[in-house]
Amino acid sequence: MDLNQFSDNQKAILKQFREAVKDCKLPDSDDAYLIRWLIARDFDIPKAEKMLRSSLEWRRQYKIDRILEDFKPPEVLTKYFSAGFVGRDITQSPLWIVRYGMSDVKGILRSVKKKDYVMYVVYLVESSIARVNADLKKFKRSPTAIVQSTIIFDMEGFSMSHITTKQAMDSAIKILQVYEANYPEFLSRVLIVNAPKIFYVCYNMLKPFLHERTRDKIQIFSHDVKQWKPVVLANVIAEETPASYGGTLADPDGNPNCVTLVNMGGEVPKSYYFSGKPDTTNKKSLTISSGSKEHLEIQVKDAGALLKWDFHSEDSDIAFAVYYKKGSELVPVVPHDRVDCHMAAEEGEIQCDEAGTYVIEFDNHFSYLRSKKIWYSISVAAASTRGANGTDLDNI
């Protein structure tokens, strides 16, 4: 896709859009970046502006601009979640392969928290963008080019275990929601191959979370290689596509799957699983009734102090957030998100930019039948007197 293909009217709307968001700190200031948001909202400026501003706030809250430096992917994801960059498609854009059917999603989600799984996918998307920006010549990018990616999803091995657990479906939906809201028009096409009949059950469950423009880019094929390999080859560079998908690329030892670029997934060893219940020593308990939430107000005396938390639930997940109390307004500091704290303790900290009242929120409003018991410890360490050993001065 290229900016030159748009009409004069659409280019005029782009100019107006740039003016409307001139106060925004953009991760990319090129027209090719801005027009993505307009395309996603049918060149409706107010809707595109709302979408972009929401995404920028998401990037700020989750520190996405530093994810490639700060996020350390859990080993179980790098070894057993089968997804990787292999080369370029026919438009000289990134080509990725995801062997989702070979990935033990159930085992992965017994070994990492859902948010880490989701952020790993964001990490891969951001790495793809960075890869192109670091080598514009290789990807033949001009200032007017709109970079997109092709993804081959291999469903060989897909089974009921990929969709029958609540965590697996919740994670898949969350990934789709994050992608649709924050990466418009980054996708060129999706080729789903080796799809068994059960996959269509999963796809029909996920379709409502996909924009129509995204659905139009997806092609699904069964195990008949005579059907899907010609389509794959029509969309990729054969020399940069693994031989197992119709190309000519292979590992140095001749492996046609190119496992040096994309692992083969496989069952996650139980040694990676979360084990046992977290310790309740020095923690207080709190019960959050079904359909309700609880707020804990924390007084922070000095700007620059560290606010730290460590909590877990006895059964099922809970939503968590941190706010700064500004008059009667609660200003989000840590975004509201559901955490799998029943699997492992949730720990974190923030540096408080301002002194004042901070509010810790445990939210169970989404659960209509089940109350949740939380064990928690919250502490504040003053910046000026916090020792080199990280001693906490107050424990709440």
Side-chain angles (χ1 to χ4, degrees):
M1 193 182 298
D2 193 280
L3 284 171
N4 293 324
Q5 74 186 65
F6 293 98
S7 68
D8 290 341
N9 181 55
Q10 289 171 325
K11 290 177 182 177
I13 292 174
L14 174 59
K15 188 175 181 180
Q16 295 173 42
F17 184 51
R18 178 176 287 281
E19 181 65 20
V21 299
K22 65 181 180 182
D23 61 306
C24 295
K25 184 180 179 182
L26 303 172
D28 186 338
S29 60
D30 289 346
D31 284 347
Y33 174 79
L34 283 178
I35 205 167
R36 296 179 187 274
W37 308 91
L38 288 170
I39 296 171
R41 291 297 177 263
D42 298 319
F43 283 82
D44 183 313
I45 292 177
K47 290 181 179 179
E49 181 180 351
K50 181 180 179 181
M51 183 185 186
L52 174 58
R53 290 185 183 276
S54 295
S55 180
L56 293 176
E57 177 60 18
W58 170 78
R59 294 185 71 89
R60 184 193 68 78
Q61 289 183 342
Y62 288 96
K63 300 179 175 61
I64 302 301
D65 289 342
R66 288 199 52 81
I67 192 170
L68 297 182
E69 292 80 20
D70 296 345
F71 181 72
K72 306 303 179 189
E75 182 180 276
V76 69
L77 288 172
T78 60
K79 283 190 173 183
Y80 293 96
F81 182 65
S82 181
F85 168 85
V86 294
R88 296 169 297 172
D89 67 12
I90 198 169
T91 68
Q92 313 293 325
S93 294
L95 171 63
W96 285 74
I97 289 175
V98 179
R99 295 186 176 110
Y100 192 77
M102 299 293 288
S103 297
D104 177 12
V105 177
K106 187 175 180 180
I108 287 172
L109 290 171
R110 285 181 174 178
S111 308
V112 298
K113 294 177 181 177
K114 182 176 72 177
K115 70 174 185 178
D116 287 330
Y117 178 45
V118 173
M119 292 311 292
Y120 182 58
V121 175
V122 174
Y123 174 89
L124 293 177
V125 175
E126 290 288 327
S127 71
S128 184
I129 296 168
R131 189 186 296 271
V132 173
N133 291 336
D135 197 347
L136 296 176
K137 185 177 180 180
K138 176 181 177 180
F139 292 94
K140 296 186 179 180
R141 296 297 102 181
S142 68
T144 60
I146 301 173
V147 179
Q148 297 179 298
S149 295
T150 292
I151 305 176
I152 299 173
F153 270 96
D154 189 348
M155 292 297 163
E156 181 70 44
F158 187 88
S159 68
M160 289 294 292
S161 66
H162 287 85
I163 60 174
T164 52
T165 63
K166 181 177 182 297
Q167 272 191 306
M169 284 306 298
D170 285 351
S171 298
I173 290 169
K174 183 66 174 180
I175 289 169
L176 290 179
Q177 290 174 327
V178 167
Y179 194 87
E180 290 282 11
N182 300 288
Y183 298 99
E185 295 303 309
F186 276 86
L187 197 61
S188 174
R189 60 188 63 81
V190 176
L191 304 174
I192 299 175
V193 303
N194 296 322
K197 290 182 179 179
I198 188 64
F199 169 75
Y200 290 90
V201 175
C202 175
Y203 184 65
N204 287 330
M205 294 169 69
L206 297 176
K207 268 202 301 188
F209 301 95
L210 293 171
H211 192 279
E212 184 180 356
R213 290 187 60 87
T214 303
R215 294 199 299 268
D216 289 343
K217 297 174 181 180
I218 297 173
Q219 291 179 268
I220 304 175
F221 301 91
S222 66
H223 289 82
D224 187 350
V225 296
K226 292 181 180 179
Q227 284 190 347
W228 61 257
K229 276 194 177 181
V231 178
V232 169
L233 284 173
N235 287 283
V236 301
I237 297 174
E239 294 79 10
E240 300 185 23
T241 304
S244 57
Y245 298 101
T248 59
L249 186 66
D251 280 333
D253 63 359
N255 191 323
N257 291 307
C258 297
V259 296
T260 56
L261 299 175
V262 190
N263 69 60
M264 294 298 291
E267 184 176 355
V268 174
K270 289 183 172 57
S271 58
Y272 283 102
Y273 287 12
F274 293 124
S275 59
K277 288 290 183 182
D279 190 7
T280 59
T281 306
N282 297 322
K283 287 184 178 179
K284 296 181 179 179
S285 65
L286 176 66
T287 298
I288 301 97
S289 301
S290 58
S292 67
K293 63 178 70 174
E294 295 289 339
H295 282 173
L296 304 176
E297 293 195 351
I298 313 299
Q299 299 301 320
V300 175
K301 300 175 182 178
D302 303 307
L306 285 180
L307 174 60
K308 305 173 69 175
W309 56 86
D310 177 357
F311 66 90
H312 70 273
S313 69
E314 290 190 351
D315 184 26
S316 197
D317 61 349
I318 196 79
F320 173 78
V322 180
Y323 303 95
Y324 176 70
K325 195 171 185 179
K326 196 171 185 178
S328 60
E329 181 185 6
L330 293 181
V331 181
V333 179
V334 175
H336 182 280
D337 201 7
R338 288 171 67 169
V339 292
D340 301 321
C341 56
H342 59 301
M343 298 178 64
E346 182 74 12
E347 300 178 30
E349 65 180 35
I350 55 168
Q351 186 171 42
C352 301
D353 295 333
E354 300 179 69
T357 303
Y358 287 77
V359 178
I360 302 287
E361 178 180 85
F362 294 111
D363 185 0
N364 193 35
H365 80 276
F366 55 86
S367 180
Y368 295 105
L369 301 175
R370 180 185 297 176
S371 62
K372 309 286 173 63
K373 187 172 184 179
I374 301 293
W375 291 88
Y376 71 92
S377 173
I378 302 170
S379 59
V380 178
S384 59
T385 54
R386 188 173 183 269
N389 61 355
T391 303
D392 294 328
L393 303 180
D394 301 293
N395 193 272
I396 299 155

